Amino acid sequence: MAYGKFGFPSMVNKASSNKGAQSLSSGNKNYFLVRVTQVNLDPSLPPSAIGSISGEIINANAISSGKVIPNISPSDPYRTIVPLVNEYVWVRYIINPNSFGGQYVYDSPLSMYGIASVNINPNPNPTSKQFLPSSQKLDYSQVENGAYNVVDNNSINLNPTSNFSEKGNIHPLLPYTGDVLYEGRWGQSIRFSSTLKTSNPWSTVGNDGDPITILRNGQDPNSSDFGAEPITENLKNDLSSVYLTSYQKIPFSLANENFLSYTTPPTTPSQFTNPQIILNSDRIILNAKSDSVLISGQNSIGLSSNGSINIDAASHYISSNDIKLGSKNATQPVLLGDNTVDLLTQLTEAVKSLASILQVQRDYPGGVLATSYNAIAGNILNQINDPTNGILAQLSNDSLKSQTTKVQ
């Protein structure tokens, strides 16, 4: 199949295409099995060619027919699962009703080992299996009993354009009744599940059928090296997780559940049984690139940390009828800076006036002048009037007022 000017497959004559398709394999002439021999991922290719494959047709005896079909496109434009070399896919021939031709499209790779392998499902050309190392000659029964094929990239070329290497410790998810599972090759998954009493870790409360959605990126690093064994998600240890619950109880603890600032502490995530969303990872980032991040809670917004809580901004605004700093039991009110300075200035001026009078006030004990100068009053005036460190100088230069924090 050739590619036209804009990178789209050139349609061939419908009649000749049907004739070619009918000679490809036995059974359904327009639906046949192909072993992938090439995956086209070079970004310099025409757009429609990227993601296409070539593959040899496998006949009814599971032997290569020797017939290679090139330029097979993904069948679903909205969901592409890129196969690896030596994986099997079903291929269909489809007719374009708007033209006189058609094309071949492929579906998802086949599972060669049941759910035992999500990382890779190769099956080399059976005619060349005799040349494979013993680690790659395991049959289905051996895999079922606990062994798994170890791929030697020197003998099985998995995908020359992506340097893919098998990871034998990637576990499939253990499915539960009614589950819908989507799994990647490296421990990513989305599970659409429900409460099933006593069947799974989140079904200790609620009713059967209560929905739950689990998005996981990266399995528990402590999982065994035996990748064929199914596992369930581990919210605590999986690399990154998002849980959307309905009425489940999730076994999970916050890094800090110190709620000393609360009069009535909130229910911890592990005990909460109403709908909640849990995000867990080494770091969580919320960033609004052009507007705002808005966080709102009906009862409260709790921020806790084993380290510090840092808030950096050009301006901070807090609007509340009751602000307590230092303790939820704080009772001492803060002072208004301007009003306090004004009152202290008035008091100081009054003391200054009194000291000025007392400084020259004469005392005649027994009819004899005791002194012509009141030293105590003079010292008070010096403390008030000193132009650098005097009380009035300090009150007038705003040194007592915070330059960043305002209260009302």
PDB file of all heavy atoms in Angstrom, residues 283-298:
ATOM      1  N   ARG A 283       5.238  13.738  45.319  1.00  0.00           N
ATOM      2  CA  ARG A 283       4.975  15.178  45.229  1.00  0.00           C
ATOM      3  C   ARG A 283       3.680  15.386  44.472  1.00  0.00           C
ATOM      4  O   ARG A 283       3.414  14.694  43.487  1.00  0.00           O
ATOM      5  CB  ARG A 283       6.121  15.906  44.517  1.00  0.00           C
ATOM      6  CG  ARG A 283       5.820  17.370  44.242  1.00  0.00           C
ATOM      7  CD  ARG A 283       6.925  18.084  43.486  1.00  0.00           C
ATOM      8  NE  ARG A 283       8.021  18.446  44.369  1.00  0.00           N
ATOM      9  CZ  ARG A 283       9.005  19.283  44.018  1.00  0.00           C
ATOM     10  NH1 ARG A 283       9.020  19.790  42.799  1.00  0.00           N
ATOM     11  NH2 ARG A 283       9.965  19.569  44.866  1.00  0.00           N
ATOM     12  N   ILE A 284       2.880  16.346  44.931  1.00  0.00           N
ATOM     13  CA  ILE A 284       1.634  16.703  44.250  1.00  0.00           C
ATOM     14  C   ILE A 284       1.688  18.193  43.944  1.00  0.00           C
ATOM     15  O   ILE A 284       1.943  19.013  44.840  1.00  0.00           O
ATOM     16  CB  ILE A 284       0.406  16.369  45.111  1.00  0.00           C
ATOM     17  CG1 ILE A 284       0.307  14.846  45.300  1.00  0.00           C
ATOM     18  CG2 ILE A 284      -0.876  16.894  44.464  1.00  0.00           C
ATOM     19  CD1 ILE A 284      -0.806  14.408  46.223  1.00  0.00           C
ATOM     20  N   ILE A 285       1.444  18.550  42.715  1.00  0.00           N
ATOM     21  CA  ILE A 285       1.545  19.938  42.269  1.00  0.00           C
ATOM     22  C   ILE A 285       0.212  20.378  41.679  1.00  0.00           C
ATOM     23  O   ILE A 285      -0.346  19.704  40.814  1.00  0.00           O
ATOM     24  CB  ILE A 285       2.656  20.108  41.219  1.00  0.00           C
ATOM     25  CG1 ILE A 285       4.015  19.738  41.829  1.00  0.00           C
ATOM     26  CG2 ILE A 285       2.681  21.529  40.673  1.00  0.00           C
ATOM     27  CD1 ILE A 285       5.143  19.717  40.827  1.00  0.00           C
ATOM     28  N   LEU A 286      -0.297  21.501  42.147  1.00  0.00           N
ATOM     29  CA  LEU A 286      -1.452  22.154  41.549  1.00  0.00           C
ATOM     30  C   LEU A 286      -0.975  23.494  41.003  1.00  0.00           C
ATOM     31  O   LEU A 286      -0.454  24.320  41.754  1.00  0.00           O
ATOM     32  CB  LEU A 286      -2.566  22.368  42.586  1.00  0.00           C
ATOM     33  CG  LEU A 286      -3.131  21.119  43.268  1.00  0.00           C
ATOM     34  CD1 LEU A 286      -4.148  21.511  44.329  1.00  0.00           C
ATOM     35  CD2 LEU A 286      -3.773  20.191  42.240  1.00  0.00           C
ATOM     36  N   ASN A 287      -1.146  23.714  39.729  1.00  0.00           N
ATOM     37  CA  ASN A 287      -0.647  24.943  39.124  1.00  0.00           C
ATOM     38  C   ASN A 287      -1.662  25.484  38.129  1.00  0.00           C
ATOM     39  O   ASN A 287      -2.099  24.772  37.229  1.00  0.00           O
ATOM     40  CB  ASN A 287       0.684  24.684  38.410  1.00  0.00           C
ATOM     41  CG  ASN A 287       1.242  25.934  37.775  1.00  0.00           C
ATOM     42  OD1 ASN A 287       1.600  26.872  38.472  1.00  0.00           O
ATOM     43  ND2 ASN A 287       1.327  25.963  36.458  1.00  0.00           N
ATOM     44  N   ALA A 288      -2.059  26.728  38.334  1.00  0.00           N
ATOM     45  CA  ALA A 288      -2.947  27.404  37.383  1.00  0.00           C
ATOM     46  C   ALA A 288      -2.091  28.373  36.574  1.00  0.00           C
ATOM     47  O   ALA A 288      -1.611  29.364  37.106  1.00  0.00           O
ATOM     48  CB  ALA A 288      -4.054  28.143  38.125  1.00  0.00           C
ATOM     49  N   LYS A 289      -1.882  28.078  35.291  1.00  0.00           N
ATOM     50  CA  LYS A 289      -0.914  28.850  34.519  1.00  0.00           C
ATOM     51  C   LYS A 289      -1.421  30.231  34.122  1.00  0.00           C
ATOM     52  O   LYS A 289      -0.616  31.105  33.814  1.00  0.00           O
ATOM     53  CB  LYS A 289      -0.495  28.078  33.271  1.00  0.00           C
ATOM     54  CG  LYS A 289      -1.612  27.827  32.271  1.00  0.00           C
ATOM     55  CD  LYS A 289      -1.077  27.068  31.068  1.00  0.00           C
ATOM     56  CE  LYS A 289      -2.168  26.847  30.019  1.00  0.00           C
ATOM     57  NZ  LYS A 289      -1.653  26.129  28.837  1.00  0.00           N
ATOM     58  N   SER A 290      -2.736  30.451  34.140  1.00  0.00           N
ATOM     59  CA  SER A 290      -3.222  31.759  33.719  1.00  0.00           C
ATOM     60  C   SER A 290      -4.268  32.361  34.643  1.00  0.00           C
ATOM     61  O   SER A 290      -4.603  33.530  34.500  1.00  0.00           O
ATOM     62  CB  SER A 290      -3.801  31.686  32.295  1.00  0.00           C
ATOM     63  OG  SER A 290      -4.927  30.827  32.257  1.00  0.00           O
ATOM     64  N   ASP A 291      -4.797  31.574  35.605  1.00  0.00           N
ATOM     65  CA  ASP A 291      -5.811  32.149  36.483  1.00  0.00           C
ATOM     66  C   ASP A 291      -5.533  31.745  37.924  1.00  0.00           C
ATOM     67  O   ASP A 291      -4.476  32.073  38.446  1.00  0.00           O
ATOM     68  CB  ASP A 291      -7.214  31.703  36.036  1.00  0.00           C
ATOM     69  CG  ASP A 291      -8.305  32.645  36.560  1.00  0.00           C
ATOM     70  OD1 ASP A 291      -8.749  32.443  37.700  1.00  0.00           O
ATOM     71  OD2 ASP A 291      -8.682  33.573  35.830  1.00  0.00           O
ATOM     72  N   SER A 292      -6.427  31.048  38.580  1.00  0.00           N
ATOM     73  CA  SER A 292      -6.335  30.829  40.028  1.00  0.00           C
ATOM     74  C   SER A 292      -6.485  29.360  40.387  1.00  0.00           C
ATOM     75  O   SER A 292      -7.078  28.575  39.648  1.00  0.00           O
ATOM     76  CB  SER A 292      -7.434  31.621  40.748  1.00  0.00           C
ATOM     77  OG  SER A 292      -7.416  32.988  40.394  1.00  0.00           O
ATOM     78  N   VAL A 293      -5.933  29.001  41.538  1.00  0.00           N
ATOM     79  CA  VAL A 293      -6.202  27.716  42.166  1.00  0.00           C
ATOM     80  C   VAL A 293      -7.194  27.975  43.291  1.00  0.00           C
ATOM     81  O   VAL A 293      -6.899  28.717  44.227  1.00  0.00           O
ATOM     82  CB  VAL A 293      -4.922  27.072  42.734  1.00  0.00           C
ATOM     83  CG1 VAL A 293      -5.256  25.800  43.492  1.00  0.00           C
ATOM     84  CG2 VAL A 293      -3.938  26.765  41.607  1.00  0.00           C
ATOM     85  N   LEU A 294      -8.366  27.396  43.202  1.00  0.00           N
ATOM     86  CA  LEU A 294      -9.420  27.627  44.180  1.00  0.00           C
ATOM     87  C   LEU A 294      -9.642  26.352  44.981  1.00  0.00           C
ATOM     88  O   LEU A 294      -9.935  25.299  44.425  1.00  0.00           O
ATOM     89  CB  LEU A 294     -10.715  28.050  43.485  1.00  0.00           C
ATOM     90  CG  LEU A 294     -10.610  29.264  42.551  1.00  0.00           C
ATOM     91  CD1 LEU A 294     -11.942  29.519  41.863  1.00  0.00           C
ATOM     92  CD2 LEU A 294     -10.169  30.497  43.321  1.00  0.00           C
ATOM     93  N   ILE A 295      -9.486  26.434  46.297  1.00  0.00           N
ATOM     94  CA  ILE A 295      -9.719  25.299  47.189  1.00  0.00           C
ATOM     95  C   ILE A 295     -10.809  25.703  48.169  1.00  0.00           C
ATOM     96  O   ILE A 295     -10.677  26.707  48.875  1.00  0.00           O
ATOM     97  CB  ILE A 295      -8.438  24.909  47.944  1.00  0.00           C
ATOM     98  CG1 ILE A 295      -7.325  24.565  46.949  1.00  0.00           C
ATOM     99  CG2 ILE A 295      -8.687  23.736  48.879  1.00  0.00           C
ATOM    100  CD1 ILE A 295      -6.003  24.258  47.606  1.00  0.00           C
ATOM    101  N   SER A 296     -11.886  24.950  48.206  1.00  0.00           N
ATOM    102  CA  SER A 296     -13.019  25.315  49.047  1.00  0.00           C
ATOM    103  C   SER A 296     -13.531  24.081  49.778  1.00  0.00           C
ATOM    104  O   SER A 296     -13.558  22.985  49.207  1.00  0.00           O
ATOM    105  CB  SER A 296     -14.144  25.911  48.185  1.00  0.00           C
ATOM    106  OG  SER A 296     -15.290  26.191  48.962  1.00  0.00           O
ATOM    107  N   GLY A 297     -13.900  24.225  51.034  1.00  0.00           N
ATOM    108  CA  GLY A 297     -14.429  23.113  51.805  1.00  0.00           C
ATOM    109  C   GLY A 297     -15.634  23.556  52.622  1.00  0.00           C
ATOM    110  O   GLY A 297     -15.634  24.656  53.185  1.00  0.00           O
ATOM    111  N   GLN A 298     -16.653  22.710  52.690  1.00  0.00           N
ATOM    112  CA  GLN A 298     -17.859  23.046  53.440  1.00  0.00           C
ATOM    113  C   GLN A 298     -17.564  23.201  54.928  1.00  0.00           C
ATOM    114  O   GLN A 298     -18.034  24.131  55.580  1.00  0.00           O
ATOM    115  CB  GLN A 298     -18.919  21.961  53.244  1.00  0.00           C
ATOM    116  CG  GLN A 298     -20.240  22.208  53.974  1.00  0.00           C
ATOM    117  CD  GLN A 298     -20.974  23.423  53.452  1.00  0.00           C
ATOM    118  OE1 GLN A 298     -20.907  23.726  52.258  1.00  0.00           O
ATOM    119  NE2 GLN A 298     -21.665  24.142  54.332  1.00  0.00           N
TER     120      GLN A 298
END
